[in-house]
Amino acid sequence: MIRSRDDADTRVRTRRRLLQAVATGAAALALPGASRSALRSETPDLVIRLVAAPSQVSIRPGPPTQVLRFTGEVLSGRRDAVRPSESYLGPTLELRRGERVRIEFVNRTGESSIVHWHGMIVPARADGHPRFAIPSGQTFIYEFTVRNPAGTYLYHPHPDGRTGRQVYLGLAGLLIVRDDEERAVGLPDPSYQLSLVIQDRRIDEDNALRFSPTMMDAMSGVLGDTVLTNGVADAAFSVAPRTYRLRVANVSNARIYKLAWSDGGPLRAIASDSGLFDREQGMQTRPYVVLAPFQRVELLEDFAGRANAGRLSLISESFADPGGMMGMMGGGMMGGGMMGRRQGERLQIARFTIAGRSSMSSEPLTLPRAERSTPRGGRELQTRLEFRRMLGLLNGRTFAMDAVAPDEVLPLDQESRWAFVNETGGMAMPHPMHIHGVRFRILGRRGDAPTDLRDGLIDAGYHDTVLVFPGERVWVGVAPTEPGMFMYHCHNLEHEDGGMMRNCWFGARHAG
Ligand code: C2O
Ligand code: CU
Ligand code: CU
């Protein structure tokens, strides 16, 4: 059935193409071979339908919880490209590098929305900019070729001013890219890979999720009192005593995690936001790993021979809140209830029960060769991060749907140096800064990362989100490849929705 619809589709498109070719007198008609392959390249390898709609799920014992939820299905192509989730989270999309993908997003949320593929390098038209938001009842078609290397990416809604609410109520999912290069690395095979999506929520006694940010929340971002991992409270996994690949994503509105093992063992990172580290960078071993909203890290962890007789937990260690205000008000009164747990409180993320026989140790790891870096010679940009009178500002400005300032234009195919400066006045706040449509290098930091967090920063590799602490200046190297309008913003979702977001333009800027 699907096949015949495909064929019909191709026929319609063929006729349209031919008519176009006739109309323009294109030489393609004289080259049947060439024109056939041009046609073939228009047919996607994979067609997915993704629907966002109200739903109800069980988050913890007791009454079900009303959520918004993505569900998905493969309309044509690989059946294993959509892996349904058992919680409110969206299905995990598994794409392959080089694949041509069409995704039909159907909005049935009852409000305006649009989906953004966080970390993915896609054409501007497919990036999910808020100007493409569609009303409930409509469909938006995305078409792109998967350019990113193997890695752990995300998708989530991106309507102006409503992103925090829609993500909080359940709309988000993992997007995993696989490629051939990754297969040669010697990573554990798929049955020994686990994904952990970490979120925090305030859940009422009747198990309801309510999103009604207070003034305090607008400043610090919404913090929950319950950690949900893969959509459930008190998540537990049973693992074999061997090496696993763990993909960890922070999909919380505002919470920063200081990830650590309960037995004090180090964390061994093999990938950042945007793919594996290269051979020179090697595995990054840290006593703990700091993960800001929407950052990802991939770990290679051996569950064999751990202390504590078969039990291990991933926790978030306590740290001093790097945001000025919560410190000022004192942690005590924020300690629970309505306000959620304060930023920096110790939290349990996931429990692991290690059982079964130890299988042979894993293959030696051969990380990929370093990529050829893009030539420098782009622009030098600087963006001041400020938080004043409840508003996050980027060089003194807030979001405007179509505005691009001269200091927000980057050339294509050259590396520009972009500084995020969180040194100026206003309220001291950490800001996880994110840029759409690119993967960037972190070139350097200057200033004061807090002493109880800085050993957990991983600046190696490619990123799409970087945490900039109060008093800090961070330089990133950005080499866009897709032309047009993208955006950059603080990924604390309450800051983003409050307007700490701007457009940026890649390539020559057209008038108008
Ligand atoms: Cu994760 Cu502008 O988005
Ligand atoms: Cu993004
Ligand atoms: Cu911010």
Side-chain angles (χ1 to χ4, degrees):
M1 240 159 80
I2 281 159
R3 167 140 229 119
S4 72
R5 189 176 56 213
D6 262 0
D7 291 344
D9 224 50
T10 310
R11 269 200 308 278
V12 169
R13 210 175 300 120
T14 306
R15 195 176 315 122
R16 206 194 307 137
R17 278 273 314 187
L18 287 175
L19 289 174
Q20 267 167 16
V22 170
T24 58
L29 275 181
L31 297 164
S35 94
R36 251 204 312 275
S37 67
L39 283 179
R40 210 175 300 131
S41 76
E42 278 192 4
T43 312
D45 301 312
L46 198 55
V47 182
I48 293 171
R49 177 181 294 147
L50 198 60
V51 182
S55 179
Q56 58 177 38
V57 297
S58 169
I59 287 182
R60 61 181 187 189
T65 301
Q66 301 296 323
V67 294
L68 291 176
R69 186 181 185 204
F70 284 118
T71 51
E73 67 180 307
V74 176
L75 300 183
S76 91
R78 282 188 303 111
R79 297 274 130 197
D80 56 359
V82 172
R83 263 198 288 126
S85 102
E86 278 153 37
S87 71
Y88 59 81
L89 287 171
T92 297
L93 307 183
E94 287 210 19
L95 308 181
R96 293 188 185 152
R97 196 175 196 177
E99 227 164 20
R100 293 173 303 248
V101 182
R102 182 199 293 165
I103 303 178
E104 306 180 5
F105 164 55
V106 184
N107 178 8
R108 295 209 187 104
T109 58
E111 54 187 274
S112 152
S113 194
I114 192 71
V115 180
H116 167 61
W117 320 101
H118 179 119
M120 297 296 284
I121 300 170
V122 298
R125 166 82 195 151
D127 188 54
H129 189 286
R131 72 188 187 280
F132 299 129
I134 48 169
S136 192
Q138 288 191 11
T139 300
F140 188 95
I141 311 274
Y142 297 84
E143 280 177 315
F144 58 88
T145 298
V146 180
R147 307 258 179 236
N148 290 64
T152 307
Y153 306 92
L154 298 162
Y155 63 95
H156 63 80
H158 217 300
D160 184 22
R162 312 276 290 177
T163 297
R165 177 176 188 280
Q166 292 184 5
V167 169
Y168 192 88
L169 294 179
L171 293 179
L174 279 177
L175 192 166
I176 288 175
V177 174
R178 299 191 184 277
D179 66 14
D180 293 338
E181 207 173 30
E182 150 193 68
R183 231 162 287 151
V185 169
L187 293 169
D189 59 59
S191 36
Y192 301 105
Q193 301 188 8
L194 278 178
S195 299
L196 306 180
V197 172
I198 309 173
Q199 300 179 298
D200 61 334
R201 295 288 184 271
R202 294 170 203 165
I203 305 172
D204 293 357
E205 254 141 66
D206 56 351
N207 282 353
L209 283 177
R210 287 197 185 89
F211 188 77
S212 50
T214 60
M215 259 162 53
M216 187 75 83
D217 295 332
M219 292 187 273
S220 60
V222 170
L223 297 167
D225 49 26
T226 305
V227 172
L228 303 177
T229 298
N230 295 350
V232 297
D234 194 21
F237 299 86
S238 137
V239 293
R242 51 153 294 151
T243 301
Y244 277 73
R245 176 184 189 175
L246 303 178
R247 302 170 188 268
V248 187
N250 179 356
V251 188
S252 308
N253 283 39
R255 188 175 290 282
I256 298 165
Y257 298 92
K258 180 179 180 178
L259 301 173
W261 291 114
S262 56
D263 67 355
L267 282 76
R268 310 193 307 162
I270 53 166
S272 51
D273 289 341
S274 194
L276 295 162
F277 298 124
D278 66 38
R279 221 164 279 180
E280 278 102 274
Q281 292 160 343
M283 190 148 58
Q284 306 281 312
T285 303
R286 298 286 188 280
Y288 56 88
V289 168
V290 173
L291 211 60
F294 291 75
Q295 288 185 320
R296 288 87 66 209
V297 66
E298 291 186 24
L299 305 172
L300 198 62
E301 295 296 339
D302 193 352
F303 289 110
R306 307 291 301 227
N308 272 344
R311 274 171 211 289
L312 189 65
S313 290
L314 187 65
I315 58 166
S316 183
E317 283 183 351
S318 67
F319 56 92
D321 180 5
M325 179 191 46
M326 297 304 266
M328 225 152 60
M329 311 276 302
M333 62 177 285
M334 309 296 161
M338 275 273 300
M339 300 304 304
R341 306 253 219 132
R342 99 194 131 70
Q343 184 78 280
E345 246 181 80
R346 186 184 194 279
L347 299 163
Q348 167 94 7
I349 309 289
R351 286 184 289 126
F352 295 87
T353 308
I354 306 159
R357 240 180 311 127
S358 167
S359 45
M360 26 134 257
S361 61
S362 49
E363 295 173 56
L365 199 66
T366 317
L367 289 168
R369 263 177 236 291
E371 284 171 42
R372 215 182 305 126
S373 56
T374 316
R376 313 238 169 130
R379 299 187 62 196
E380 293 273 340
L381 301 173
Q382 177 170 311
T383 300
R384 255 179 309 116
L385 317 180
E386 287 170 281
F387 208 90
R388 292 182 190 279
R389 278 179 248 103
M390 319 266 302
L391 274 186
L393 302 170
L394 299 168
N395 277 346
R397 300 172 298 233
T398 57
F399 183 62
M401 195 59 91
D402 300 300
V404 184
D407 61 6
E408 295 171 321
V409 179
L410 286 82
L412 292 175
D413 304 318
Q414 288 178 353
E415 190 180 79
S416 294
R417 265 165 65 96
W418 193 344
F420 293 111
V421 183
N422 192 3
E423 293 169 344
T424 41
M427 192 174 279
M429 293 264 198
H431 298 291
M433 293 304 300
H434 170 56
I435 310 175
H436 283 211
V438 292
R439 51 205 294 259
F440 55 73
R441 303 191 298 142
I442 299 174
L443 303 175
R445 293 173 181 268
R446 192 178 78 196
D448 297 316
T451 50
D452 60 351
L453 290 176
R454 71 177 168 215
D455 292 341
L457 298 176
I458 301 179
D459 287 346
Y462 284 91
H463 300 256
D464 52 56
T465 306
V466 63
L467 186 55
V468 187
F469 289 105
E472 245 195 341
R473 171 183 298 242
V474 178
W475 288 270
V476 300
V478 193
T481 51
E482 294 288 338
M485 193 190 277
F486 289 86
M487 39 187 10
Y488 67 103
H489 56 85
C490 177
H491 222 302
N492 174 317
L493 295 182
E494 280 61 62
H495 292 186
E496 171 181 345
D497 283 338
M500 197 174 186
M501 169 161 87
R502 292 283 301 175
N503 293 315
C504 50
W505 188 277
F506 300 156
R509 178 87 173 112
H510 308 284

